[in-house]
Amino acid sequence: MPGEHEQTFATRLREVTQKDHSEAETSEFITTLMAGSRAPRDYVLLLSQYTYIYAALESEVRALSTVPELSLIFDLRLERAAHIHHDLELLLPAHGFTDIPAPLEATANYIRHIRDAAQEPARLVAHHYLRYLGDLSGGQIIRRLVGRHYGIDQEALTMWRFEGIDKHKPYKDEYRARLNDYAVTPERAEALLEEAAKGFTLNKALFRDLLTQSQLSALLSA
């Protein structure tokens, strides 16, 4: 256990990435989507890009999930890909899509980074942390606001529901404790910090591409 004044790695990670985190969550696409000033199609566009990102992440995570030092972090109950597909089966036809939109350039770049990160597991842990702890935290706000603003039924918002994880705060606390145990070497700690910063940059690029795609779609349908 850390001493009274000793900073844990998880705390350091949160503090080091705080600025990048804030910039990502205040991107125009996300803030306007959460404010209810976009269209339901925009949420479907976001979820469609997550199809590709989570498929890549979960493929790499599964390949490493039996490695002893990773197995406690890489909890397969967190997987979202099947939930995303379930939600899109309901949302795509309801909002004028005939198929899942193709990956955007930022999405393809995000996927390449995830594949590369898997070659150095500490970097993959960074992406795992960003995505799933984000889903367990801010993702719950997304679920409520998307349902409220755009009339999307909770049955089509299972992306944000975690069966078997009833109490999110204790789970997140346990996850951070495991992260502290994992990042015991300077090499792992630095790799995690560097890749987490990249992860937020990748998310900001994704939100920019989604904003452009949304604006283009609006022009074409006008």
Side-chain angles (χ1 to χ4, degrees):
M1 293 290 291
E4 183 180 353
H5 300 294
E6 184 179 346
Q7 186 184 53
T8 68
F9 174 77
T11 300
R12 180 185 173 201
L13 176 60
R14 184 169 63 249
E15 290 180 355
V16 167
T17 59
Q18 186 173 10
K19 181 174 182 290
D20 289 324
H21 188 177
S22 178
E23 289 176 355
E25 69 182 6
T26 55
S27 297
E28 182 179 351
F29 179 84
I30 286 295
T31 55
T32 52
L33 184 68
M34 293 302 98
S37 56
R38 305 203 71 81
R41 282 178 61 92
D42 291 320
Y43 174 70
V44 182
L45 284 172
L46 171 65
L47 201 61
S48 297
Q49 299 308 302
Y50 281 169
T51 301
Y52 304 107
I53 292 167
Y54 281 85
L57 177 60
E58 291 170 8
S59 172
E60 300 298 345
V61 164
R62 277 184 171 264
L64 294 170
S65 62
T66 58
V67 175
E69 62 265 29
L70 295 170
S71 60
L72 290 177
I73 294 175
F74 287 171
D75 182 354
L76 299 184
R77 290 181 300 170
L78 294 170
E79 290 189 339
R80 300 290 89 198
H83 297 281
I84 294 171
H85 279 285
H86 168 275
D87 292 352
L88 286 176
E89 284 181 2
L90 300 174
L91 293 170
L92 289 169
H95 297 287
F97 294 92
T98 57
D99 203 353
I100 299 175
L104 299 170
E105 182 179 350
T107 302
N109 191 38
Y110 201 149
I111 292 167
R112 283 193 294 272
H113 273 275
I114 288 172
R115 301 291 190 199
D116 290 343
Q119 305 308 308
E120 188 178 350
R123 295 185 181 276
L124 188 64
V125 170
H127 290 286
H128 191 273
Y129 162 81
L130 290 182
R131 290 258 51 99
Y132 296 115
L133 255 66
D135 295 339
L136 285 163
S137 300
Q140 305 311 301
I141 299 172
I142 292 174
R143 176 175 61 84
R144 291 194 294 272
L145 292 180
V146 166
R148 180 191 308 166
H149 291 317
Y150 306 108
I152 295 177
D153 191 271
Q154 291 299 309
E155 179 59 25
L157 293 169
T158 66
M159 157 67 180
W160 313 106
R161 292 210 303 266
F162 288 81
E163 293 80 2
I165 303 176
D166 298 325
K167 296 182 178 179
H168 290 186
K169 186 183 184 304
Y171 184 90
K172 290 185 291 183
D173 289 343
E174 290 174 13
Y175 185 105
R176 293 187 184 100
R178 293 167 184 167
L179 199 64
N180 292 334
D181 292 340
Y182 178 76
V184 290
T185 67
E187 293 78 13
R188 286 181 183 176
E190 286 308 309
L192 261 159
L193 290 168
E194 288 177 5
E195 198 65 29
K198 286 182 184 176
F200 282 118
T201 298
L202 292 165
N203 276 281
K204 286 186 282 186
L206 174 61
F207 297 148
R208 285 195 298 270
D209 273 14
L210 281 164
L211 182 63
T212 300
Q213 181 68 23
S214 171
Q215 292 168 339
L216 178 60
S217 297
L219 284 173
L220 293 174
S221 62

